[in-house]
Amino acid sequence: MSAVEGVRPLPLRSPLRWRIALLVSAAIAISYLDRLTLPVAIKAIERDIPVTNQQFSLLQTAFLVTYAFMYVAGGRLLDAVGTRPGFTLIMVFWSLACAGHGLAATFGMLAACRLLLGAGEGGGFPAATRVVAEWFPVGERSTAMGIMNGGTAIGMMLAPPLIALLLSFTGWRSIFFVTGALGLLWTVWWRRAYFPPETHPRLGDEERAELQAVMLPARRAGPALRWLQLLRFRQTWGLVGAKFLGDAAWYFYLFWLPKYLYDARGFDVKTVGAFAWIPPAAAGLGCLVGGWFSSDLLRRGLPLDRARKLSLAASVSLMPFVLIVPRVPVAWAIAIFCLAYFGQQSWATLVMILPTDIFPRSTVGAVAGLIGAGGAMGGVAFGQLAGYLLDHGHGYGPVFALAGSLHVFAFATIALVIPRIRPLEGAHT
């Protein structure tokens, strides 16, 4: 029987697994706050350490290269040692790397800190995907991932006003110490609150009974598939290719929006702090709406393939509006960024849940790692292209034209390479 036949999403009357979703959402919020601290504070940093557009792009490349590597290695690490100890190591590492930015005295030291930060943060989303696979039935997974992915919006919303506030009282270096400390505090919370459902001391009998459909396959799971085995499946390549294209645009929006507002729209740090949180707020709604919409389609009886692809198509339909950003007044540009952030994070929530729909739980971390690595490399490629175009006088018009089309190609990749989203025969437990 298919993994989704007869699925009736459970009511939210048992709160533990949803509290765990909020716990992971907080970690994702911290990761986005940490990675955005440098882009938002860049004008203050440049007073001490000069940074050109190409160098700014190299800083993001440094982050994304190790992020991609650790996305793969971190996924396998989590499959090997388990979600609880694995996420502990990952969070401690990236928090210390974030704090290290505050000690940088040269561009090279900043780049080294970005390399270390990427190496740590690369394990965050594979961990989130494993939590979903461990705790949530199929009908609830996209909603749960929407909540977790909503942490991206919280982190993005907090970064501009928080950094503007801190800069009004202190120097840019202390910002990295504050954000690094937040991650270490979260680790204490994680160690106290998270266990797999099979061993969780606070899981009630009623919720334990509800989660038998999740826990029983885990007990029967065989060994994880090796990377070479995973690369034999076209589903792996389809998801990696789609993530490469979609995240190429996303990392451009994420890292370059503050700089675009500084350079092309004449904003200062305080103005960026006042306005740059608005698109991330839309991104948070996108996470929740995308996850809810797909779960609701399943609840209404649509097959898994149709529910996921209809939701993905609806998300992608919002992305091409970005093409006109350079030609409209700033208020309209912010509104269009809101549409793009909403559509992107609705899309991202659904793409991140697809490994749990297709691959066995024992391999979900590794698959999520490969997919995330593809996305990070897309960010590297497009970030370098954007830096080159801007430093050679081409302006933001061609950059936004390219960025606005990438999600359309990403959806076409999924539709062509994965004609039907369903569990892999012979591999799914």
Side-chain angles (χ1 to χ4, degrees), residues 106-307:
T106 65
F107 173 80
M109 293 175 71
L110 279 179
C113 290
R114 297 309 279 180
L115 288 166
L116 293 173
L117 182 64
E121 289 201 11
F125 277 110
T129 304
R130 277 190 58 89
V131 171
V132 169
E134 288 178 357
W135 274 93
F136 292 91
V138 172
E140 293 180 343
R141 284 177 179 172
S142 63
T143 302
M145 185 58 80
I147 293 171
M148 295 178 191
N149 197 33
T152 62
I154 296 170
M156 289 186 291
M157 289 171 62
L158 286 176
L162 176 62
I163 291 166
L165 177 64
L166 289 173
L167 283 173
S168 67
F169 291 101
T170 185
W172 62 267
R173 297 180 186 278
S174 64
I175 298 170
F176 293 99
F177 301 143
V178 171
T179 52
L182 289 175
L184 297 177
L185 290 173
W186 179 90
T187 305
V188 176
W189 181 17
W190 170 257
R191 296 294 299 178
R192 291 173 60 87
Y194 189 83
F195 300 88
E198 296 86 354
T199 60
H200 203 295
R202 293 184 292 279
L203 182 64
D205 292 338
E206 183 179 1
E207 188 168 11
R208 189 177 299 276
E210 290 174 344
L211 295 179
Q212 287 303 305
V214 179
M215 291 189 287
L216 286 175
R219 298 187 191 112
R220 302 188 193 120
L225 297 174
R226 294 188 297 273
W227 277 316
L228 287 178
Q229 291 174 300
L230 291 173
L231 294 176
R232 294 187 183 128
F233 295 108
R234 66 181 182 184
Q235 290 88 343
T236 303
W237 289 104
L239 294 175
V240 170
K243 191 74 168 166
F244 178 93
L245 293 166
D247 277 11
W250 171 236
Y251 284 118
F252 169 71
Y253 304 145
L254 181 65
F255 291 136
W256 287 80
L257 175 58
K259 191 164 178 57
Y260 169 74
L261 295 176
Y262 289 135
D263 295 346
R265 300 291 183 165
F267 282 27
D268 58 20
V269 171
K270 290 183 178 179
T271 313
V272 168
F275 289 97
W277 65 270
I278 300 174
L285 289 176
C287 295
L288 298 175
V289 171
W292 166 83
F293 183 53
S294 183
S295 289
D296 187 62
L297 292 177
L298 286 173
R299 188 177 300 114
R300 293 173 183 273
L302 266 70
L304 177 65
D305 176 73
R306 191 178 305 174

Side-chain angles (χ1 to χ4, degrees), residues 70 74 77-78 81-91 123 127 190-191:
M70 191 57 186
L77 170 70
L78 289 156
V81 306
T83 308
R84 186 170 181 264
F87 210 168
T88 300
L89 293 171
I90 287 164
M91 176 61 88
W190 170 257
R191 296 294 299 178

